[in-house]
Amino acid sequence: MTNPLATATANGVSIWLDDLSRERIESGNLKHLIENYSVRGVTTNPSIFAAALKDPFYSKALAAEAAKGSDALQAIVNITSTDVAAACDIFRGIYDSSNGVDGRVSIEVEPGLAFDTEATIAQALELYQLVDRENVMIKIPATKAGLPAITAVTAAGISVNVTLIFSVERYHEVMDAYFEGLRQAKANGKDLGKIHSVASFFVSRVDTEVDKRLIALGQPELKSKAALANARLAYAAFLERISSDEWRELEAAGARYQRPLMASTGVKDPALPDTLYVTELIAKNLVNTMPEKTMMATADHGVVPQDSITDNIPAAKAFMAELSGAGVDIVEVTNLLEEEGVEKFIISWNELVESVASALEAAK
């Protein structure tokens, strides 16, 4: 029987792992996932590294940072950029064979900078230089302050993973920022063919928030449909933009797609199928980054169709109208989720800084 993850890959979806640790790298686990589970990239975030750095596996690295006199912030940057560089090396073959489309590893700017454009740009450039690998992607949140940073970093010839997108409206602004970045990169003499981007659209959290509201409104029959409808409309927005004259002009200059990436694809509601946000989001030129648990569930029993998005776009539009009629304001929901998303990453980051500071002190 064909591995469902391989089928998803054949049908146009790049499978990326939403996790990274030094143990995964050094044990050979990451290589194993590439060879046996069709993994073609990795995403990281502050929560992932906060969990990883609590592992005793990092004790030697933390002791080395203490010996150098690094403070907690510098130690975190040094350790995480080293891990990302090592992962980039493991994925280099995929990066080369896919002409830069896959084989990507993402590292995120400090979440506390989400509302500071200039500081985001500065740290993005710093992280790019520290990792020093062509196949790294710098993650920048899609806040209002993040949008001009996306443009500036793209203009510098750096590939960006835009994260924390919840609404189709904000996604259009993200695509605007990317297109403008490409125009500036061209004016700066950069090779547009080397610049790739993904736009990370968060899925499961939409259902979590919307379903809570539907229950309060006495409309449980509409539950567990908003996240897929929202994600499918994001893909429709992508199709619309790559059909535009604006895109054709950039493409003629060598520009590459900013692919939609489906993130937060682990199911939060135990009543739902554990592969829901994978098998129901299959289409060409898509990325799905998933936690290992979701990946293994899909490999074990996922039923992967040829395309589960394109023909469902009209139904997605109709459902969002029905949702509005039921009293759920999707704009209010997505604005809240963006605020909460940034806040959660800041909390994880602060916990990480605190635990690393304690570890550095103990290692002295």
Side-chain angles (χ1 to χ4, degrees), residues 69-309:
S70 299
D71 63 14
L73 288 174
Q74 193 58 55
I76 292 166
V77 168
N78 290 345
I79 291 169
T80 57
S81 61
T82 297
D83 283 0
V84 168
C88 282
D89 291 342
I90 293 170
F91 278 104
R92 183 69 201 216
I94 291 175
Y95 174 76
D96 291 337
S97 64
S98 67
N99 195 21
V101 173
D102 284 319
R104 296 286 183 168
V105 185
S106 298
I107 186 169
E108 188 161 347
V109 296
E110 184 183 332
L113 306 179
F115 306 108
D116 187 332
T117 302
E118 295 307 318
T120 294
I121 294 167
Q123 192 175 61
L125 298 175
E126 178 195 4
L127 289 172
Y128 181 74
Q129 290 163 356
L130 272 173
V131 175
D132 194 26
R133 299 294 189 276
E134 199 173 280
N135 51 328
V136 70
M137 274 187 161
I138 307 301
K139 285 180 87 170
I140 296 175
T143 55
K144 283 290 188 182
L147 295 171
I150 293 159
T151 295
V153 175
T154 302
I158 296 169
S159 295
V160 174
N161 176 341
V162 183
T163 188
L164 287 175
I165 307 172
F166 293 96
S167 74
V168 175
E169 291 74 21
R170 181 57 54 85
Y171 180 36
H172 275 292
E173 293 178 312
V174 166
M175 288 188 282
D176 288 342
Y178 177 58
F179 282 24
E180 179 57 26
L182 289 173
R183 283 189 285 268
Q184 291 182 21
K186 182 185 174 186
N188 294 339
K190 302 293 182 184
D191 180 357
L192 298 193
K194 291 285 190 183
I195 303 170
H196 289 252
S197 183
V198 292
S200 297
F201 211 84
F202 279 51
V203 182
S204 64
R205 295 185 197 181
V206 173
D207 269 345
T208 302
E209 181 60 31
V210 168
D211 289 358
K212 185 169 63 178
R213 296 177 183 221
L214 287 170
I215 290 168
L217 289 165
Q219 301 270 6
E221 71 280 3
L222 298 180
K223 276 183 60 190
S224 310
K225 297 176 182 177
L228 289 176
N230 201 41
R232 286 165 174 165
L233 292 180
Y235 186 76
F238 165 71
L239 293 180
E240 178 189 326
R241 293 301 287 271
I242 63 170
S243 302
S244 68
D245 290 340
E246 181 187 22
W247 172 251
R248 289 193 190 97
E249 188 177 329
L250 287 166
E251 190 173 35
R256 312 298 293 267
Y257 289 152
Q258 181 188 60
R259 290 183 294 168
L261 179 152
M262 299 303 164
S264 185
T265 54
V267 171
K268 305 285 196 295
D269 182 348
L272 297 176
D274 54 3
T275 64
L276 181 70
Y277 302 128
V278 179
T279 59
E280 292 300 318
L281 293 172
I282 302 290
K284 293 187 190 316
N285 296 308
L286 201 68
V287 181
N288 192 308
T289 185
M290 58 190 83
E292 187 173 16
K293 183 180 177 183
T294 302
M295 185 178 292
M296 294 305 161
T298 305
D300 179 66
H301 54 264
V303 179
V304 177
Q306 184 74 36
D307 184 323
S308 50
I309 296 181

Side-chain angles (χ1 to χ4, degrees), residues 60-71:
K60 283 185 181 176
L62 288 165
E65 292 297 327
K68 286 195 294 189
S70 299
D71 63 14

